[in-house]
Amino acid sequence: MKIAVLYGGTSGEREVSLSTGKGIINALKKNGHEVVDIDFHPDRLNEILELDVDLVFIGLHGRFGEDGKIQGLLDMLGIPYVGSGVLASALAMDKAKSKQIFSQYGIATARSKTYRVENDNLRAIEEAIKQDFKPPFVIKPNQEGSTLGLTIVKDITEIEEGVKKAGESDDTILVEDYIAGREVTVPVVGKQGEEKALPVIEIIPKSDYYDFDSKYKPGGSEHIVPAQLPEEMTEKLQKHSVLAHQLLGCDVYSRVDFIVTNEHEAIILEVNTLPGMTPTSLFPDSANKIGWSYEEMVERFVELSTSK
Ligand SMILES: Nc1ncnc2c1ncn2[C@@H]1O[C@H](COP(=O)(O)OP(=O)(O)O)[C@@H](O)[C@H]1O
Ligand SMILES: [Mg+2]
C-alpha cells in the first residue's frame, strides 16, 4: 500500500513525534509499503491536500494531531487514516470532558475542577484554588500531553507558578487531587466493539512522578510488563481501559493511564488516542509481551484501519 506518515508537527510533543514517526516509517517500509513521510506543519496544508495515498498513519502527538483537527481534514478529503476519529480524539484530548464521561459510567477519577485563565484573573484563580484544594494537588493544562505544564503542588506558595505554567499551554487549567499510588497504563487495540486490552504496564519513574524526562530520557523510567498486581486488579484495569476507550468512541488503538492506590482503587487519569510509538515506548513494549514485534503491531493497525 501507499501510506503517508504524518509526524513532527508543532505541538509541545514535537520531539517525541519525530521519534514515533521514524519508528512507524521504518516498520511500514520493512512491511513492504511505499511510504510518503510528511513533517506536518499547518502552514504547509497543501502537502496534505495533495496527498494521493491509500492510508494516512498519524504519528503526531498533542495539538493539531491528537485533538481531532487533522482527522477532520482527512475526513473531508476522504482519505482513510489509522486511529480514532474527530470526536473521540477531541474528547480524549479534553481531560475534563472525558473525566465527566468516565465517572458517569463508574470509572473512578480524581476529584477535579477547571478554571479558565484570562489576562487579569490569575489572582482570583489562585484564591479559588486555595479554597477548593488542599495540598498535595496537581495543576495541569486541560489539553496537553507528555506532562508538559504540569505541577504537583505540595505547598500553597507553588500555586501561582503552577497556574502560570499550565496557562501557557491551555487557557483552561485542570486542578486535581493528588492520587498517591502505583502508576500503570493499559494499551487497547481492536476493531470497534471487539477491543482487547494488552498486558498492563507498571511505570516506575526515576523522578517522583512521570515527568517529561522520565518519559523520554533513556533510563528515565522502568517498565514492568506485565505489572505485578493482584489478578482482580489486572482484570479491572483491563476492563476499565476497554470501557474508557469505547465510551469516548476511540478506534483501532489507544493507551489508558491509571493510578492504582494503596486502597486498591484504580483511578483513571486519561486516554491517549495517539500514544508514543517510539521503539522503546510503553505500547510496543506491552505488545511485545504477547509476541508482536513492533512491525507486526504496526501492520495490525494498518489492517484494522483498512478492513472497515
Ligand atoms: N491526579 C494526579 N495524582 C498524581 N499524579 C498525577 C495526577 N495527575 C497526573 N499525575 C502525574 O503526571 C503524569 C502526567 O499526567 P497526565 O494526566 O497523564 O497528563 P499527560 O497528558 O501530560 O500525560 C502522570 O503520568 C502522573 O505521573
Ligand atoms: Mg498521561
Side-chain angles (χ1 to χ4, degrees), residues 95 145-147 183 210 215 255 257 269-270 272:
K95 290 189 168 81
S146 291
T147 326
E183 183 143 2
Y210 199 34
K215 280 182 178 172
R255 208 198 69 221
D257 297 344
L269 289 179
E270 60 160 350
N272 301 284

Side-chain angles (χ1 to χ4, degrees), residues 16-181:
V16 187
S17 172
L18 289 175
S19 179
T20 288
K22 208 190 287 171
I24 294 169
I25 291 165
N26 289 339
L28 289 172
K29 284 184 179 162
K30 273 193 199 149
N31 293 343
H33 299 290
E34 184 188 340
V35 177
V36 180
D37 59 296
I38 295 181
D39 183 346
F40 174 74
H41 196 291
D43 288 348
R44 298 189 301 269
L45 278 186
N46 59 305
E47 294 179 343
I48 311 291
L49 301 179
E50 288 159 8
L51 277 178
D52 179 20
V53 292
D54 305 305
L55 183 71
V56 170
F57 204 123
I58 307 173
L60 296 161
H61 306 303
R63 199 155 299 199
F64 287 162
E66 198 163 349
D67 57 2
K69 298 211 164 63
I70 196 79
Q71 290 78 0
L73 180 61
L74 293 169
D75 282 343
M76 281 189 274
L77 294 169
I79 307 175
Y81 50 88
V82 179
S84 298
V86 173
L87 181 61
S89 303
L91 272 175
M93 194 71 190
D94 189 319
K95 290 189 168 81
K97 286 273 187 302
S98 54
K99 285 178 64 166
Q100 283 173 6
I101 298 172
F102 302 146
S103 46
Q104 208 178 340
Y105 286 87
I107 305 176
T109 62
R111 185 181 71 95
S112 65
K113 262 187 105 155
T114 54
Y115 304 85
R116 200 161 166 81
V117 180
E118 275 147 28
N119 278 335
D120 48 3
N121 69 347
L122 287 179
R123 274 265 165 275
I125 291 181
E126 266 180 71
E127 284 312 312
I129 293 175
K130 273 183 208 161
Q131 295 293 317
D132 298 334
F133 292 88
K134 295 282 161 273
F137 58 83
V138 182
I139 303 182
K140 51 179 134 172
N142 187 44
Q143 307 200 41
E144 187 52 91
S146 291
T147 326
L148 296 164
L150 181 144
T151 303
I152 296 186
V153 175
K154 293 176 178 141
D155 184 275
I156 53 167
T157 55
E158 296 157 349
I159 298 177
E160 183 180 353
E161 194 53 35
V163 170
K164 273 199 201 129
K165 211 163 93 181
E168 280 165 17
S169 293
D170 189 357
D171 45 20
T172 300
I173 63 168
L174 180 68
V175 181
E176 274 181 350
D177 283 342
Y178 176 81
I179 308 295

Side-chain angles (χ1 to χ4, degrees), residues 216-280:
Y216 305 114
K217 279 227 174 107
S221 63
E222 198 186 325
H223 310 167
I224 301 172
V225 205
Q228 301 300 297
L229 293 163
E231 188 62 34
E232 316 88 81
M233 181 50 80
T234 299
E235 277 168 21
K236 181 175 182 175
L237 286 164
Q238 291 186 319
K239 195 171 128 217
H240 279 190
S241 53
V242 169
L243 179 59
H245 173 106
Q246 292 176 337
L247 284 171
L248 300 186
C250 296
D251 201 2
V252 182
Y253 73 110
S254 73
R255 208 198 69 221
V256 189
D257 297 344
F258 297 87
I259 293 179
V260 175
T261 69
N262 295 334
E263 293 75 41
H264 307 289
E265 271 188 305
I267 310 289
I268 194 169
L269 289 179
E270 60 160 350
V271 173
N272 301 284
T273 52
L274 292 177
M277 283 292 171
T278 75
T280 56

Side-chain angles (χ1 to χ4, degrees), residues 159-212:
I159 298 177
E160 183 180 353
E161 194 53 35
V163 170
K164 273 199 201 129
K165 211 163 93 181
E168 280 165 17
S169 293
D170 189 357
D171 45 20
T172 300
I173 63 168
L174 180 68
V175 181
E176 274 181 350
D177 283 342
Y178 176 81
I179 308 295
R182 294 162 69 180
E183 183 143 2
V184 299
T185 190
V186 191
V188 175
V189 62
K191 215 168 133 167
Q192 280 187 327
E194 296 170 17
E195 294 91 345
K196 289 207 163 37
L198 298 185
V200 176
I201 307 159
E202 178 169 8
I203 301 153
I204 304 186
K206 295 278 157 70
S207 10
D208 57 357
Y209 65 105
Y210 199 34
D211 61 7
F212 192 88

